[in-house]
Amino acid sequence: MTKRLIVNLFEMATPGHITHGLWRQPDNQRERYADVAYWTELARIAEDAGFDAIFLADVVGAYDVYDDAFEPALERGLQIPNLDPMLLVAAMAAVTDHVGFGVTFSTTYEPPFAFARRMATLDHLTGGRVGWNIVTSYLPNAARNFGLADQIPHDTRYEIAAEYVEVLYKLWEGSWDDDAVVVDKDAGVYSRPGSVRAIDHEGEHFRVAGPHLSEPSRQRVPVLFQASASKAGIAFAAQHAEVLFTADRPPGALERNIAAIRDESVRQGRRPDDTRFLVMATVIVGRTEQEAREKAERYRSFRDPEGAFIHMSVPFHPLDHPAELTVREALEREGRHDVIDAGALPLHLTVGQFARAVDEAWDSRFFAVGDPQQVADIIEGWLDDDGIDGINLRQYHSFDTARDFGELVVPELRRRGRMRERYEPGETLRERIFGEGPRLPDRHPAARYRGGAGL
Ligand SMILES: Cc1cc2nc3c(=O)[nH]c(=O)nc-3n(C[C@H](O)[C@H](O)[C@H](O)COP(=O)(O)O)c2cc1C
């Protein structure tokens, strides 16, 4: 069977998300990110193009590891200023009927009860078109914004995330039965007592009484997205995630990585096709190859390589050192023995090699430039040879990236049976991705609380 491509448009409410420096293009619209018309226009373009979803990244701190200051990020509009993505979804939902929305929210800093209600609100307002990108937050500044002296250790953040989702599952799945809301005007009964219950959760990190304040929405639980690279993250994903972003890896390794996560999720009682794998991808298309190459060159000319160092929290300043020094020597010159001891950087590389590697990692392996046939050939290779299920399309230009994809790539992918001809009316995001019901399957851990069981 021909595998269909899942396509999300990758966004963030900020001038510079992941294509650093490109907001400076004279006709780019990034500086309009705080204007609601930017989002309604984008949502219509995405829906006209047939995207599965608009996927919104988020951070709750500034990038301040590079140069030990937030100013380099600030100056470049690199994820600061930014806005809360959840609030944008309501506006976009109002002008669309089909396109889905993925929203990033962290499990580390705000307790789960209010988030359960906010996400349920979005699932109601969108008619079941939302997903949640579960993140644990990697920025040290975020910890200091929420009253902590320093970051909670990485694996502890995943332990907190595990309890966080358990509370959510209890609220979303266990607190209200399907028959709870009766709206019986004659009898004066809005919701039926006996069909709604407290959850009385008492765990190591959270105490939540309940009941959940929102009645059941179409999906109850938003489609669960996650991006993981670590052992703890992958273990969490195998249990909970429905759609996973995998890190770029060399061809064979990516397949092995996908297989390992699938195997683990099957050991947890889930099915192999309960999880889908997406990668972040670049598609620069023109009517001719020449046009596409010129466009790519133009984008490249605005690129800010230092942006990658800031975004990846590189804890020293590679540009201050001769390229032939090793990373270890550069760190010694900066007196950063703490970084040397942490062992996270490739100390043996020269500074020049390190800078090139960061630069190349940034462009990623999933990079297609060409005419519609050429990029469709490459995308088909990603699906069939690399074993992925879809992409988060990286934006080089707003709104050209989305428009180009819709006008030039989508018709070609449809001809090849890789995208559907049209949306299915009334379909939830989960139905669109998995082709089954709007709710999580019984074998997902959230299902164990249904009907109040296991509370
Ligand atoms: C495509 C993609 C998108 C991501 N989006 C976000 C985001 O919006 N906010 C965030 O805090 N982390 C984001 N992350 C980081 C992940 O949540 C995670 O921290 C990272 O992949 C490292 O994995 P680990 O937590 O298993 O170490 C993203 C990662 C990827 C690959």
Side-chain angles (χ1 to χ4, degrees):
M1 218 176 79
T2 315
K3 197 198 272 184
R4 190 174 75 79
L5 182 77
I6 299 169
V7 192
N8 293 335
L9 185 65
F10 206 12
E11 252 293 3
M12 182 168 177
T14 187
H17 172 205
I18 30 174
T19 47
H20 303 307
L22 271 69
W23 64 270
R24 295 175 301 156
Q25 294 172 83
D27 60 344
N28 209 343
Q29 305 284 308
R30 300 299 313 174
E31 69 272 23
R32 288 180 54 214
Y33 77 96
D35 175 356
V36 72
Y38 174 94
W39 297 100
T40 51
E41 198 174 334
L42 182 79
R44 287 197 182 100
I45 291 168
E47 185 154 285
D48 287 346
F51 283 91
D52 290 285
I54 297 170
F55 191 92
L56 297 155
D58 191 36
V59 290
V60 285
Y63 288 78
D64 66 358
V65 173
Y66 181 73
D67 262 2
D68 206 13
F70 68 77
E71 283 79 1
L74 182 83
E75 202 170 47
R76 290 171 171 77
L78 195 157
Q79 302 195 3
I80 177 170
N82 73 40
L83 296 177
D84 185 327
M86 290 187 82
L87 300 176
L88 307 172
V89 171
M92 291 193 280
V95 297
T96 53
D97 296 313
H98 307 288
V99 71
F101 305 99
V103 196
T104 299
F105 191 83
S106 173
T107 53
T108 302
Y109 299 115
E110 295 182 55
F113 185 78
F115 175 70
R117 186 169 68 130
R118 267 184 256 149
M119 196 44 110
T121 305
L122 285 186
D123 204 47
H124 279 293
L125 296 186
T126 60
R129 292 189 273 149
V130 283
W132 169 33
N133 180 29
I134 309 171
V135 301
T136 60
S137 295
Y138 50 72
L139 289 174
N141 177 244
R144 300 197 302 274
N145 292 336
F146 289 90
L148 305 177
D150 207 348
Q151 271 192 305
I152 298 169
H154 176 279
D155 289 8
T156 311
R157 296 204 300 272
Y158 276 103
E159 285 168 25
I160 296 169
E163 190 181 330
Y164 196 101
V165 295
E166 197 187 327
V167 173
L168 293 175
Y169 297 158
K170 289 177 176 179
L171 292 166
W172 285 332
E173 290 281 0
S175 189
W176 291 61
D177 292 342
D178 285 335
D179 66 357
V181 179
V182 289
V183 198
D184 184 339
K185 290 189 175 175
D186 294 335
V189 178
Y190 200 93
S191 305
R192 203 195 316 263
S195 296
V196 179
R197 57 193 71 81
I199 64 163
D200 292 324
H201 175 89
E202 293 202 15
E204 197 180 329
H205 305 285
F206 306 110
R207 288 169 65 119
V208 180
H212 182 37
L213 296 179
S214 310
E215 64 178 88
S217 60
R218 289 204 52 207
Q219 298 185 118
R220 280 185 182 253
V221 182
V223 176
L224 301 172
F225 290 78
Q226 201 200 331
S228 292
S230 62
K231 201 159 174 268
I234 287 170
F236 181 94
Q239 205 178 351
H240 301 282
E242 300 177 86
V243 183
L244 262 149
F245 298 115
T246 44
D248 297 343
R249 286 157 200 266
L254 178 74
E255 280 190 358
R256 281 197 299 281
N257 190 34
I258 290 175
I261 296 173
R262 280 228 160 94
D263 288 351
E264 180 55 31
S265 75
V266 168
R267 263 195 296 280
Q268 308 263 359
R270 303 175 70 198
R271 290 193 190 146
D273 60 356
D274 283 352
T275 39
R276 300 291 152 93
F277 293 86
L278 306 192
V279 290
M280 181 165 67
T282 294
V283 179
I284 299 173
V285 65
R287 280 176 177 77
T288 61
E289 181 180 346
Q290 164 98 359
E291 189 188 306
R293 297 219 170 274
E294 282 168 10
K295 207 180 283 186
E297 213 31 64
R298 193 169 68 244
Y299 293 153
R300 212 176 170 77
S301 71
F302 283 94
R303 203 155 165 268
D304 170 14
E306 212 171 343
F309 298 142
I310 299 166
H311 193 159
M312 293 176 96
S313 295
V314 170
F316 73 110
H317 204 290
L319 303 176
D320 284 351
H321 305 281
E324 63 280 5
L325 283 194
T326 62
V327 169
R328 175 188 288 277
E329 287 163 336
L331 287 165
E332 279 168 353
R333 285 175 98 199
E334 289 189 15
R336 296 304 303 270
H337 297 281
D338 56 326
V339 178
I340 295 174
D341 294 344
L345 288 185
L347 302 172
H348 59 285
L349 292 187
T350 65
V351 169
Q353 287 168 331
F354 174 72
R356 258 195 313 284
V358 170
D359 206 34
E360 280 161 18
W362 210 242
D363 263 349
S364 102
R365 193 163 73 70
F366 295 92
F367 197 92
V369 181
D371 67 26
Q373 284 76 26
Q374 289 170 320
V375 299
D377 286 346
I378 296 169
I379 292 170
E380 288 199 295
W382 296 342
L383 290 168
D384 297 337
D385 305 331
D386 296 307
I388 62 149
D389 300 296
I391 58 172
N392 253 11
L393 184 66
R394 200 204 291 244
Q395 292 189 83
Y396 283 72
H397 184 286
S398 302
F399 304 105
D400 281 2
T401 301
R403 272 205 200 103
D404 287 352
F405 195 90
E407 284 170 18
L408 299 172
V409 186
V410 170
E412 185 57 33
L413 291 173
R414 284 187 170 145
R415 249 192 301 284
R416 299 177 186 209
R418 298 297 190 167
M419 282 180 73
R420 289 188 312 186
E421 287 300 324
R422 61 190 65 81
Y423 293 110
E424 197 64 46
E427 181 180 65
T428 60
L429 183 59
R430 179 169 288 112
E431 288 166 297
R432 179 170 311 145
I433 296 173
F434 293 97
E436 292 180 17
R439 295 189 173 162
L440 278 165
D442 291 343
R443 49 200 180 269
H444 189 278
R448 63 174 174 258
Y449 299 115
R450 285 186 183 148
L455 287 180

